[in-house]
Amino acid sequence: MSTGPGPAPCARPDAAPHPLRFGYGTNGLTDLRLDDALGLLADLGYDGVGLTLDHMHLDPLAPDLADRTRQVARRLDALGLDVTVETGARYVLDPRRKHGPSLLDPDPEGRARRVDLLVRAVRVAADLGAHALHCFSGTTPPGTDEDTAWKRLAEALTPVVEAATEAGVPLAVEPEPGHLLATLADFHRLRETLGDPGVLGLTLDIGHCQCLEPLPPADCVRAAAPWLRHVQIEDMRRGVHEHLPFGDGEIDFPPVLDALAATGYQALTVVELPRHSHAGPHFAGRSLPFLHRAARATPEGPEGRTP
């Protein structure tokens, strides 16, 4: 069961501050100007932000990207916010196709546009001092066999890996339900195909673990620990890819957060609620206290349940 928005879990009376650092994704604050969104998160006490490059938030395709990035960097510094750069904007490249064109697009020019976006994002991440750059594979196009799709993915990501290596920015690939690269096992397939480049790491979405991984989310965290570069978090139900506010799904969060802290992970754990952007300030305000309570909770019993 989830730790719902009711009585707080049992807390350790003499517990030290939890080592995890929490952020909130701007894809859940799309009705706010970026400057206002950053100010809101700082006021609420977040440690950082998952910044999705989109037309309303540091548009990666508009003129003067370097100058605008410097302005955002100054704002982040003034507010004391760390940042991870995310590239999951739905229509930033194509106003008619969600996440299109992808790294798997049948059209080489389409794939090149996605690669160009990711290389631009590497530069933005470097200029912002971001912990990592997030990306994903995309869905397999109709009529494309699996071997061809994997070949396209490896070839398309190669220049992105090279740019990230040169810039010193960890590249954090996200397994996404319904995509070619959907699971932790798929991430390892990509890693091995590319020759295990040092810059290549993992975005682990805790809800996705609940949705489709064979292991429980806390075990997924432990299994993924050596490659963790970015973490996204929300509630979710088994077999249903729907990002839910905390307490509305099935995840038991204290064991997950304990496992994450035990790995020594020091980058941001970012709340991912893109479909709740219409009430973004409300959910941002509600999410951080929940995470702080869950992070302080004492696991009870063999399954780490809390009252």
Side-chain angles (χ1 to χ4, degrees):
M1 297 295 292
S2 297
T3 306
C10 295
R12 303 179 181 94
D14 57 349
H18 204 275
L20 297 180
R21 302 166 64 251
F22 297 112
Y24 200 91
T26 60
N27 61 357
L29 296 169
T30 56
D31 290 321
L32 277 67
R33 297 177 183 88
L34 180 56
D35 191 67
D36 291 337
L38 297 179
L40 170 72
L41 297 182
D43 288 345
L44 289 173
Y46 282 91
D47 300 294
V49 58
L51 174 58
T52 296
L53 304 182
D54 207 346
H55 62 88
M56 80 295 288
H57 291 157
L58 194 54
D59 187 342
L61 304 180
D64 302 321
L65 178 58
D67 289 341
R68 291 183 288 114
T69 301
R70 281 191 287 271
Q71 293 174 13
V72 173
R74 287 194 291 268
R75 178 66 167 158
L76 290 167
D77 184 64
L79 294 171
L81 293 174
D82 288 329
V83 62
T84 302
V85 173
E86 303 191 3
T87 60
R90 292 185 178 95
Y91 297 102
V92 69
L93 288 178
D94 188 326
R96 294 173 176 83
R97 285 191 299 159
K98 181 181 177 182
H99 298 317
S102 77
L103 296 170
L104 310 178
D105 203 274
D107 179 9
E109 292 185 2
R111 297 198 297 276
R113 291 179 62 204
R114 177 61 62 173
V115 169
D116 176 71
L117 175 67
L118 294 179
V119 171
R120 286 171 178 255
V122 167
R123 292 197 293 269
V124 170
D127 290 345
L128 293 178
H131 291 294
L133 172 67
H134 150 278
C135 68
F136 48 74
S137 69
T139 60
T140 303
T144 301
D145 65 84
E146 183 176 331
D147 288 343
T148 298
W150 278 103
K151 181 179 179 182
R152 285 178 187 165
L153 179 61
E155 290 177 349
L157 272 180
T158 294
V160 183
V161 168
E162 292 172 351
T165 300
E166 183 176 353
V169 175
L171 185 64
V173 178
E174 179 187 7
E176 180 81 21
H179 285 207
L180 174 69
L181 198 157
T183 65
L184 290 173
D186 293 332
F187 165 74
H188 290 301
R189 176 174 177 173
L190 174 67
R191 183 174 61 83
E192 292 164 5
T193 299
L194 292 175
D196 198 15
V199 76
L200 183 65
L202 176 70
T203 292
L204 187 70
D205 188 299
I206 301 302
H208 295 173
C209 296
Q210 176 69 22
C211 179
L212 54 68
E213 291 287 350
L215 295 173
D219 288 343
C220 288
V221 168
R222 286 184 278 267
W227 300 277
L228 279 182
R229 301 296 179 268
H230 181 41
V231 175
Q232 297 171 343
I233 193 165
E234 68 285 314
D235 218 336
M236 204 168 285
R237 300 187 182 100
R238 184 69 178 171
V240 182
H241 184 203
E242 182 182 4
H243 291 233
L244 299 172
F246 298 117
D248 289 1
E250 300 170 342
I251 299 175
D252 186 27
F253 285 94
V256 174
L257 297 178
D258 275 353
L260 187 57
T263 69
Y265 175 75
Q266 296 181 349
L268 293 172
T269 298
V270 173
V271 179
E272 186 83 355
L273 290 174
R275 296 186 181 181
H276 294 75
S277 193
H278 64 284
H282 166 76
F283 286 105
R286 174 182 167 187
S287 296
L288 187 60
F290 176 93
L291 289 169
H292 283 163
R293 292 195 303 269
R296 292 193 301 266
T298 303
E300 296 287 345
E303 297 180 349
R305 298 290 181 183
T306 55

